[in-house]
Amino acid sequence: MSKRIVVGYDGSESGANALEFAIGLAKASKSGLVIAHVLEWSPYTFLTPTEIEERHKRRKEELERAETAVLAPVVAKLADSGLEVTTELRYGHIAETLIKIAEDEGVEHLVIGRTGHSSLSTRIFGSVAGSLAQAATVPVTIVP
């Protein structure tokens, strides 16, 4: 299996900086690139069966929008880059999900931006970058 790098990409300026860094790293190390976008979602709510059905429908719509608006343009941009590019689009806690993607994909490196589209909860409970730096099982590069 060839070497691969996961880059967390959310469409923010910091995410774009992380992507550019990861592209350079992938080219230099002749690695493939896994562009990962995580939609933050908490399963810890109490919902009625009707609300669960509506939430499932909204999740599907959000995934489709994220694929179209965030990942597809980047993949198109990299079509002629010579890199092997794949994408991962998942729901979950961002840091935990990026670690899971890195484990599932067997990557050697994880790259993220220092800041991104985050909520107030990340300011209160800790940043994605800080969580990854402490918990990832592969080297993490945090790009300013």
Side-chain angles (χ1 to χ4, degrees):
M1 180 178 281
S2 65
K3 296 190 309 186
R4 289 181 291 160
I5 298 166
V6 162
V7 58
Y9 181 73
D10 64 0
S12 69
E13 182 179 340
S14 185
N17 292 341
L19 178 62
E20 289 304 315
F21 181 86
I23 290 167
L25 188 62
K27 286 181 177 180
S29 64
K30 297 181 180 12
S31 298
L33 192 60
V34 179
I35 303 170
H37 183 72
V38 179
L39 294 167
E40 200 160 17
W41 175 70
S42 171
Y44 304 108
T45 57
F46 298 99
L47 303 172
T48 67
T50 302
E51 290 170 327
I52 291 171
E53 185 177 324
E54 289 172 3
R55 190 172 191 189
H56 178 71
K57 181 181 175 187
R58 283 193 310 269
R59 284 180 64 190
K60 184 178 178 188
E61 291 169 353
E62 287 176 347
L63 287 169
E64 290 169 357
R65 280 195 308 269
E67 178 66 38
T68 302
V70 178
L71 294 178
V74 174
V75 171
K77 174 185 168 186
L78 294 174
D80 297 329
S81 68
L83 292 173
E84 175 190 329
V85 178
T86 59
T87 62
E88 281 289 332
L89 177 58
R90 297 188 190 177
Y91 262 98
H93 179 273
I94 296 171
E96 290 173 6
T97 304
L98 287 173
I99 290 169
K100 180 74 171 130
I101 291 169
E103 290 170 353
D104 291 350
E105 296 292 323
V107 302
E108 288 78 24
H109 201 121
L110 207 150
V111 177
I112 59 160
R114 182 177 60 212
T115 59
H117 296 304
S118 60
S119 64
L120 178 62
S121 65
T122 58
R123 292 186 195 110
I124 295 169
F125 298 113
S127 71
V128 171
S131 296
L132 285 172
Q134 293 178 14
T137 57
V138 297
V140 176
T141 299
I142 302 167
V143 179

